Short mmCIF file of all heavy atoms in Angstrom, two decimals:
data_model
loop_
_atom_site.label_atom_id
_atom_site.label_comp_id
_atom_site.label_asym_id
_atom_site.label_seq_id
_atom_site.Cartn_x
_atom_site.Cartn_y
_atom_site.Cartn_z
N GLN A 1 109.06 115.68 99.80
CA GLN A 1 109.14 116.03 98.34
C GLN A 1 107.76 116.51 97.95
O GLN A 1 106.73 116.08 98.48
CB GLN A 1 109.48 114.85 97.54
CG GLN A 1 109.66 115.07 96.05
CD GLN A 1 109.87 113.92 95.20
OE1 GLN A 1 109.04 112.96 95.34
NE2 GLN A 1 110.93 113.88 94.44
N ASP A 2 107.70 117.46 97.00
CA ASP A 2 106.41 117.95 96.44
C ASP A 2 105.58 116.73 95.98
O ASP A 2 106.03 116.00 95.13
CB ASP A 2 106.73 118.95 95.28
CG ASP A 2 105.48 119.69 94.89
OD1 ASP A 2 104.35 119.23 95.12
OD2 ASP A 2 105.56 120.71 94.14
N ILE A 3 104.40 116.58 96.53
CA ILE A 3 103.58 115.49 96.24
C ILE A 3 103.18 115.53 94.71
O ILE A 3 102.88 114.50 94.07
CB ILE A 3 102.35 115.40 97.14
CG1 ILE A 3 101.84 113.96 97.07
CG2 ILE A 3 101.33 116.41 96.78
CD1 ILE A 3 100.87 113.61 98.15
N LYS A 4 103.14 116.72 94.13
CA LYS A 4 102.73 116.79 92.73
C LYS A 4 103.74 116.11 91.71
O LYS A 4 103.35 115.49 90.79
CB LYS A 4 102.61 118.33 92.24
CG LYS A 4 101.45 119.06 92.94
CD LYS A 4 101.47 120.60 92.60
CE LYS A 4 100.50 121.30 93.24
NZ LYS A 4 100.37 122.72 92.98
N ILE A 5 104.91 116.10 92.14
CA ILE A 5 105.94 115.37 91.35
C ILE A 5 105.72 113.92 91.41
O ILE A 5 105.77 113.19 90.43
CB ILE A 5 107.48 115.67 91.95
CG1 ILE A 5 107.77 117.17 91.83
CG2 ILE A 5 108.53 114.80 91.19
CD1 ILE A 5 109.02 117.56 92.54
N GLN A 6 105.31 113.36 92.55
CA GLN A 6 105.07 111.97 92.73
C GLN A 6 103.77 111.65 92.02
O GLN A 6 103.60 110.59 91.36
CB GLN A 6 105.00 111.65 94.16
CG GLN A 6 106.27 111.96 95.00
CD GLN A 6 106.08 111.80 96.46
OE1 GLN A 6 105.09 111.47 96.99
NE2 GLN A 6 107.22 112.04 97.24
N LEU A 7 102.77 112.52 92.10
CA LEU A 7 101.55 112.22 91.39
C LEU A 7 101.69 112.13 89.90
O LEU A 7 101.14 111.27 89.18
CB LEU A 7 100.48 113.35 91.72
CG LEU A 7 99.99 113.29 93.13
CD1 LEU A 7 99.14 114.65 93.43
CD2 LEU A 7 99.03 112.13 93.42
N ARG A 8 102.61 112.95 89.37
CA ARG A 8 102.84 112.93 87.92
C ARG A 8 103.53 111.66 87.52
O ARG A 8 103.21 110.97 86.52
CB ARG A 8 103.69 114.13 87.41
CG ARG A 8 102.93 115.42 87.35
CD ARG A 8 103.84 116.41 86.56
NE ARG A 8 105.03 116.78 87.19
CZ ARG A 8 105.13 117.86 88.06
NH1 ARG A 8 104.06 118.58 88.39
NH2 ARG A 8 106.32 118.11 88.64
N SER A 9 104.51 111.20 88.41
CA SER A 9 105.18 109.89 88.10
C SER A 9 104.27 108.74 88.15
O SER A 9 104.28 107.83 87.27
CB SER A 9 106.30 109.70 89.16
OG SER A 9 107.38 110.67 89.00
N LEU A 10 103.38 108.75 89.10
CA LEU A 10 102.39 107.68 89.26
C LEU A 10 101.39 107.61 88.18
O LEU A 10 100.99 106.50 87.69
CB LEU A 10 101.74 107.61 90.59
CG LEU A 10 102.59 107.47 91.83
CD1 LEU A 10 101.85 107.73 93.09
CD2 LEU A 10 103.15 105.98 91.80
N LYS A 11 100.99 108.83 87.70
CA LYS A 11 99.98 108.91 86.60
C LYS A 11 100.53 108.44 85.33
O LYS A 11 99.94 107.81 84.44
CB LYS A 11 99.45 110.35 86.56
CG LYS A 11 98.25 110.44 85.52
CD LYS A 11 97.72 111.91 85.60
CE LYS A 11 96.60 112.04 84.50
NZ LYS A 11 96.04 113.48 84.63
N ARG A 12 101.89 108.81 85.04
CA ARG A 12 102.54 108.42 83.91
C ARG A 12 102.57 106.88 83.74
O ARG A 12 102.61 106.27 82.67
CB ARG A 12 103.93 108.90 83.77
CG ARG A 12 104.77 108.61 82.60
CD ARG A 12 106.29 108.99 82.91
NE ARG A 12 106.75 108.28 84.04
CZ ARG A 12 107.91 108.54 84.64
NH1 ARG A 12 108.56 109.71 84.36
NH2 ARG A 12 108.33 107.82 85.67
N GLY A 13 102.73 106.26 84.94
CA GLY A 13 102.94 104.80 85.01
C GLY A 13 104.32 104.36 85.38
O GLY A 13 105.26 104.96 84.78
N CYS A 14 104.47 103.63 86.43
CA CYS A 14 105.80 103.18 86.82
C CYS A 14 105.75 101.70 87.25
O CYS A 14 104.75 101.22 87.69
CB CYS A 14 106.37 104.06 87.93
SG CYS A 14 105.36 104.09 89.41
N HIS A 15 106.87 101.13 87.09
CA HIS A 15 106.95 99.66 87.43
C HIS A 15 107.46 99.39 88.78
O HIS A 15 107.03 98.32 89.36
CB HIS A 15 108.00 98.98 86.47
CG HIS A 15 107.74 99.17 84.94
ND1 HIS A 15 108.27 100.24 84.27
CD2 HIS A 15 106.93 98.49 84.20
CE1 HIS A 15 107.87 100.17 82.98
NE2 HIS A 15 106.99 99.19 82.92
N ILE A 16 108.23 100.26 89.36
CA ILE A 16 108.75 100.19 90.74
C ILE A 16 108.54 101.32 91.54
O ILE A 16 108.84 102.47 91.18
CB ILE A 16 110.32 99.84 90.64
CG1 ILE A 16 110.66 98.65 89.75
CG2 ILE A 16 110.87 99.65 92.06
CD1 ILE A 16 112.11 98.37 89.48
N VAL A 17 107.99 101.06 92.76
CA VAL A 17 107.75 102.14 93.73
C VAL A 17 108.68 101.89 94.91
O VAL A 17 108.70 100.74 95.46
CB VAL A 17 106.37 102.35 94.10
CG1 VAL A 17 106.18 103.11 95.43
CG2 VAL A 17 105.51 103.01 92.95
N VAL A 18 109.45 102.82 95.29
CA VAL A 18 110.37 102.75 96.49
C VAL A 18 109.96 103.88 97.49
O VAL A 18 109.95 105.08 97.08
CB VAL A 18 111.82 102.94 96.12
CG1 VAL A 18 112.65 102.79 97.43
CG2 VAL A 18 112.29 101.94 95.12
N GLY A 19 109.40 103.57 98.61
CA GLY A 19 108.95 104.61 99.45
C GLY A 19 108.84 104.41 100.95
O GLY A 19 109.15 103.22 101.35
N THR A 20 108.47 105.43 101.58
CA THR A 20 108.25 105.27 103.10
C THR A 20 106.81 104.88 103.43
O THR A 20 106.01 105.31 102.61
CB THR A 20 108.62 106.60 103.77
OG1 THR A 20 107.91 107.62 103.18
CG2 THR A 20 110.17 106.89 103.66
N PRO A 21 106.55 104.21 104.47
CA PRO A 21 105.22 103.78 104.74
C PRO A 21 104.13 104.88 104.79
O PRO A 21 103.03 104.69 104.26
CB PRO A 21 105.29 102.96 106.01
CG PRO A 21 106.72 102.54 106.12
CD PRO A 21 107.50 103.56 105.42
N GLY A 22 104.46 106.01 105.41
CA GLY A 22 103.58 107.12 105.57
C GLY A 22 103.15 107.64 104.22
O GLY A 22 101.92 107.89 104.08
N ARG A 23 104.05 107.93 103.38
CA ARG A 23 103.69 108.56 102.11
C ARG A 23 103.11 107.58 101.19
O ARG A 23 102.13 107.84 100.45
CB ARG A 23 104.97 109.14 101.48
CG ARG A 23 104.70 109.87 100.17
CD ARG A 23 103.63 111.00 100.15
NE ARG A 23 103.88 112.12 101.00
CZ ARG A 23 104.42 113.23 100.57
NH1 ARG A 23 104.76 113.32 99.27
NH2 ARG A 23 104.72 114.29 101.34
N ILE A 24 103.50 106.27 101.26
CA ILE A 24 102.77 105.21 100.47
C ILE A 24 101.29 105.17 100.80
O ILE A 24 100.39 105.05 99.96
CB ILE A 24 103.44 103.83 100.71
CG1 ILE A 24 104.82 103.86 100.18
CG2 ILE A 24 102.52 102.77 100.08
CD1 ILE A 24 105.00 103.86 98.65
N GLN A 25 101.00 105.20 102.18
CA GLN A 25 99.61 105.17 102.72
C GLN A 25 98.89 106.43 102.17
O GLN A 25 97.74 106.33 101.78
CB GLN A 25 99.62 105.30 104.19
CG GLN A 25 99.99 103.85 104.79
CD GLN A 25 98.65 103.16 105.09
OE1 GLN A 25 97.89 102.80 104.17
NE2 GLN A 25 98.46 102.73 106.39
N ASP A 26 99.55 107.53 102.20
CA ASP A 26 98.87 108.84 101.70
C ASP A 26 98.45 108.63 100.27
O ASP A 26 97.31 108.95 99.89
CB ASP A 26 99.95 109.94 101.75
CG ASP A 26 99.31 111.30 101.50
OD1 ASP A 26 98.17 111.38 101.33
OD2 ASP A 26 100.02 112.27 101.39
#
């Protein structure tokens, strides 16, 4: 998935993250 989408979600603030280990590490 486009990492920019994820960066926006994380910057906005989120309570729950569901992810794969590789991208979480990134």
Side-chain angles (χ1 to χ4, degrees):
Q1 184 189 51
D2 187 344
I3 199 165
K4 293 179 182 178
I5 296 173
Q6 299 170 5
L7 288 169
R8 284 197 297 269
S9 295
L10 293 171
K11 187 175 181 179
R12 177 194 64 196
C14 61
H15 304 95
I16 302 172
V17 164
V18 183
T20 52
R23 184 52 69 94
I24 294 291
Q25 282 269 59
D26 190 5

